[in-house]
């Protein structure tokens, strides 16, 4: 679950004039905001020709991140790892709709040559040192 709230305050009084919260609006705000911030950081730090992304986690945040990153980078392929079959299938379907090749790798998600690694899940269960992260060059 992704939770969020967007509040519009009046400039002069500071009083609340509108609130956007709950499902699905609050989820959308949080997902897009988080993906946008990640995209800004990636644009500053990642290679502009990044074509391969590894996703650890396949839920709402992963889908919003894929949408944002597909607009910023010339992605060709994603590898993914997730716990819930419906989320894995939804992220894979979104990737394919964007014309991307999809590889489901489970715990070995980082074994390929990923230019971008996106960890978009609630808690960390394994780290890059255990998963064969390789330099894409």
């Amino acid at each position: 679950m992704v939770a969020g709230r967007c509040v519009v305050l009046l400039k002069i009084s500071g009083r609340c004039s509108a609130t956007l919260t709950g499902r699905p609006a609050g989820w959308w705000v949080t997902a897009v905001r988080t993906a946008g911030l990640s995209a800004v950081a990636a644009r500053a730090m990642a290679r502009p020709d990044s074509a391969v992304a590894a996703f650890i986690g396949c839920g709402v945040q992963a889908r919003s991140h894929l949408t944002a990153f597909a607009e910023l980078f010339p992605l060709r392929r994603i590898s993914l790892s997730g716990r819930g079959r419906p989320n894995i299938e939804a992220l894979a379907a979104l990737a394919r709709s964007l014309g991307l090749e999809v590889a489901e790798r489970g715990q070995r998600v980082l074994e390929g040559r990923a230019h971008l690694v996106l960890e978009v899940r609630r808690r960390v269960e394994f780290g890059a040192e255990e998963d064969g992260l390789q330099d894409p060059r």
Side-chain angles (χ1 to χ4, degrees), residues 17 22 30-31 33 40 42 44 47 59 61 68 78 83 94 104 120:
S17 65
T30 298
R33 179 193 65 227
V40 168
R47 293 173 29 184
Q61 288 289 343
I78 68 165
R83 292 182 298 199
L94 174 59
E104 185 179 335
V120 283

Side-chain angles (χ1 to χ4, degrees), residues 16 18 37 76 78 90 96 112 130:
C16 178
L37 291 171
R76 292 188 324 264
I78 68 165
R96 288 185 185 105
E130 299 168 7

Side-chain angles (χ1 to χ4, degrees):
M1 180 177 117
V2 177
R5 176 178 297 199
C6 185
V7 179
V8 178
L9 303 175
L10 297 173
K11 181 178 180 179
I12 301 214
S13 67
R15 291 183 61 192
C16 178
S17 65
T19 301
L20 181 63
T21 189
R23 291 195 228 175
W27 293 6
W28 180 86
V29 168
T30 298
V32 170
R33 179 193 65 227
T34 304
L37 291 171
S38 296
V40 168
R43 194 162 116 187
M45 296 186 288
R47 293 173 29 184
D49 63 340
S50 295
V52 181
F55 283 81
I56 302 170
C58 298
V60 172
Q61 288 289 343
R63 291 190 295 274
S64 63
H65 277 70
L66 176 57
T67 301
F69 279 64
E71 290 182 26
L72 282 177
F73 297 99
L75 296 180
R76 292 188 324 264
R77 181 173 65 250
I78 68 165
S79 60
L80 50 91
S81 174
R83 292 182 298 199
R85 177 59 38 198
N87 285 339
I88 292 168
E89 290 172 2
L91 183 60
L94 174 59
R96 288 185 185 105
S97 77
L98 296 170
L100 304 177
E101 178 186 329
V102 176
E104 185 179 335
R105 298 186 184 246
Q107 291 285 85
R108 298 174 167 259
V109 68
L110 299 177
E111 274 190 348
R113 295 194 174 272
H115 301 142
L116 300 162
V117 176
L118 297 98
E119 185 163 20
V120 283
R121 55 194 186 137
R122 289 187 197 153
R123 61 179 178 232
V124 176
E125 294 172 6
F126 57 93
E129 67 282 350
E130 299 168 7
D131 295 311
L133 181 62
Q134 299 174 20
D135 188 311
R137 287 172 259 162

